[in-house]
């Protein structure tokens, strides 16, 4: 099964991609410059920064080539060379190296580079949920290699998002409830949601993109034995029995299981994961525990990646980028649309 994302690569995206080294295993564009968000006009959308992620098999070679082609994209770290840049990318934060506020073909873009191995690890195990979380939401897929391992990891990530959301939702809920929960996973615990992001961001993402979420998740929901999916009514019913919740907990990504274990198991007891998850499955606060586990992953990666971003972007670009985020947050605060108003 391939990732059911949108494959419409317009001339604009092809022109932008053509200015980078072509050894890319996965490239996608995401965010408010790519998908219309509620409360944003077409004119505003076209002024928004375009966000990209490039997964590459060999970061040192890719950065070597990119430094030759696009040296101005890099901060002062370019003086350290491609090997150090790749080390900073792989060994710190969420294993992504971002160049931001880059003018390309009449638009301002930001692009993150991640190794294919690090991406697959995040998709399967939710080690940081940094790129995996972006791929829970609709993206514009621009390049995808024939790697079966990568394809399987992309689908596994979507299934994990559904499973985690089931555990945090009541027995009966709507498609919109599910998509709001899924879209919010990668923002749970993100310190930028306190300072720097529009508080209504999750609702804005989902409101005008319900059909894109359906394209992404409908096959997974139809094939899932844990849920009764009624697509024509837009309603779902999930198994909330202890047995059903245990099955869902056992299907969660490894890092999330470990975080849940750490939250629940008293120090020194050292029970095995299966025993702890069986206990959590019978707990009325099971969904809260899962939420706390996700928040702990996201909080850690969002802080470390943001600190790394100061170095990779440079101080001036960091201040400029942060001020734009704060302005969006202020405007969002003035609108204050609630989820109930948007349903």
């Amino acid at each position: 099964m391939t990732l059911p994302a949108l494959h419409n690569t317009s001339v604009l995206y092809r022109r932008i991609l053509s200015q980078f080294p072509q050894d890319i295993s996965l490239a996608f564009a995401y965010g408010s410059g790519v998908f219309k968000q509620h409360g944003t006009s077409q004119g505003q959308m076209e002024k928004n920064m375009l966000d990209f992620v490039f997964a590459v098999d060999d970061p040192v070679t890719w950065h070597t080539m990119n430094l030759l082609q696009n040296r101005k994209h890099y901060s002062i770290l370019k003086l350290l060379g491609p090997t150090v840049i790749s080390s900073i990318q792989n060994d710190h934060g969420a294993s992504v190296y971002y160049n931001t506020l880059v003018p390309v073909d009449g638009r301002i873009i930001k692009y993150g580079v991640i190794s294919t191995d690090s991406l697959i690890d995040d998709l399967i195990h939710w080690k940081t949920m940094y790129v995996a979380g972006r791929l829970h939401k609709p993206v514009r897929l621009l390049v995808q290699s024939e790697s079966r391992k990568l394809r399987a990891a992309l689908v596994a990530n979507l299934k994990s998002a559904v499973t985690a959301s089931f555990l945090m939702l009541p027995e009966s809920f709507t498609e919109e409830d599910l998509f709001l929960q899924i879209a919010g996973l990668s923002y749970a615990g993100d310190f930028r949601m306190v300072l720097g992001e529009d508080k209504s961001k999750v609702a804005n993402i989902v409101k005008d993109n319900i059909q894109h979420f359906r394209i992404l998740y409908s096959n997974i929901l139809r094939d899932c034995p844990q849920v009764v999916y009624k697509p024509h009514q837009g309603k779902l019913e999930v198994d909330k029995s202890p047995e059903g919740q245990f099955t869902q907990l056992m299907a969660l990504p490894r890092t999330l299981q470990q975080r849940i274990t750490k939250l629940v198991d008293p120090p020194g007891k050292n029970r095995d994961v299966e025993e702890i998850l069986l206990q959590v499955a019978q707990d009325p606060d099971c969904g809260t525990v899962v939420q706390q586990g996700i928040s702990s992953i996201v909080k850690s990666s969002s802080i470390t990646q943001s600190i790394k971003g100061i170095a990779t972007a440079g101080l001036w670009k960091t201040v400029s980028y942060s001020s734009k985020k704060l302005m969006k947050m202020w405007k969002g605060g003035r609108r204050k649309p609630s989820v109930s108003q948007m349903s």
Side-chain angles (χ1 to χ4, degrees), residues 149-191:
K149 191 176 179 183
L150 177 56
R151 288 173 183 269
L154 288 162
V155 176
N157 181 48
L158 297 179
K159 289 181 176 178
S160 294
V162 168
T163 302
S165 295
F166 283 171
L167 285 159
M168 292 185 282
L169 286 163
E171 187 172 2
S172 300
F173 48 91
T174 66
E175 271 184 326
E176 186 167 355
D177 292 333
L178 175 62
F179 299 150
L180 284 166
Q181 190 71 59
I182 289 171
L185 291 176
S186 60
Y187 297 115
D190 190 335
F191 83 99

Side-chain angles (χ1 to χ4, degrees), residues 207-226:
K207 179 66 177 176
D208 286 354
N209 292 293
I210 293 284
Q211 188 55 37
H212 292 151
F213 275 92
R214 284 195 189 113
I215 291 168
L216 208 51
Y217 288 102
S218 60
N219 288 341
I220 288 170
L221 293 172
R222 286 193 184 95
D223 294 343
C224 179
Q226 297 285 315

Side-chain angles (χ1 to χ4, degrees), residues 227-255:
V227 70
V228 177
Y229 178 39
K230 303 170 184 175
H232 297 299
Q233 299 174 34
K235 294 182 179 178
L236 303 95
E237 296 171 11
V238 71
D239 183 0
K240 300 300 284 187
S241 69
E243 295 80 10
Q245 293 198 140
F246 178 64
T247 300
Q248 291 158 25
L249 287 163
M250 289 297 291
L252 292 175
R254 184 179 65 199
T255 305

Side-chain angles (χ1 to χ4, degrees), residues 16 20 23 37 57 70 80 93 98 100-101 114 119 164 176 237 243 255 266 308 313 320 325 330:
I16 290 172
F20 292 94
D23 187 18
Q37 295 185 4
D57 291 343
N70 300 302
L80 301 177
Y98 271 103
T100 191
L101 296 177
I114 185 171
L119 172 62
E176 186 167 355
E237 296 171 11
E243 295 80 10
T255 305
K308 183 169 87 172
S320 178
K325 286 285 187 183
W330 180 72

Side-chain angles (χ1 to χ4, degrees), residues 6-128:
L6 302 175
H7 289 267
N8 177 25
T9 54
S10 69
V11 172
L12 171 65
Y13 297 116
R14 291 202 301 271
R15 284 175 64 93
I16 290 172
L17 270 180
S18 71
Q19 300 191 40
F20 292 94
Q22 296 303 293
D23 187 18
I24 294 173
S25 62
L26 184 79
F28 64 89
Y30 66 96
S32 59
V34 181
F35 290 93
K36 188 178 181 300
Q37 295 185 4
H38 190 71
T40 304
S41 68
Q42 187 66 33
Q44 287 173 311
M45 181 181 161
E46 288 173 2
K47 292 177 184 175
N48 286 345
M49 183 162 60
L50 291 172
D51 297 317
F52 296 87
V53 167
F54 304 148
V56 302
D57 291 343
D58 184 348
V60 175
T61 300
W62 196 90
H63 283 295
T64 300
M65 295 167 67
N66 199 44
L67 281 163
L68 290 171
Q69 290 178 227
N70 300 302
R71 192 170 181 81
K72 289 182 178 178
H73 293 183
Y74 292 80
S75 71
I76 197 168
L77 294 181
K78 60 177 170 274
L79 300 176
L80 301 177
T83 303
V84 174
I85 286 173
S86 299
S87 177
I88 292 168
Q89 173 188 308
N90 294 325
D91 301 339
H92 302 281
S95 299
V96 191
Y97 190 101
Y98 271 103
N99 285 324
T100 191
L101 296 177
V102 175
V104 179
D105 216 62
R107 293 293 295 266
I108 300 297
I109 76 164
K110 175 181 78 176
Y111 63 95
V113 184
I114 185 171
S115 76
T116 307
D117 288 343
S118 293
L119 172 62
I120 290 171
D121 190 41
D122 197 32
L123 292 170
I124 294 173
H125 301 303
W126 283 9
K127 186 177 178 182
T128 68

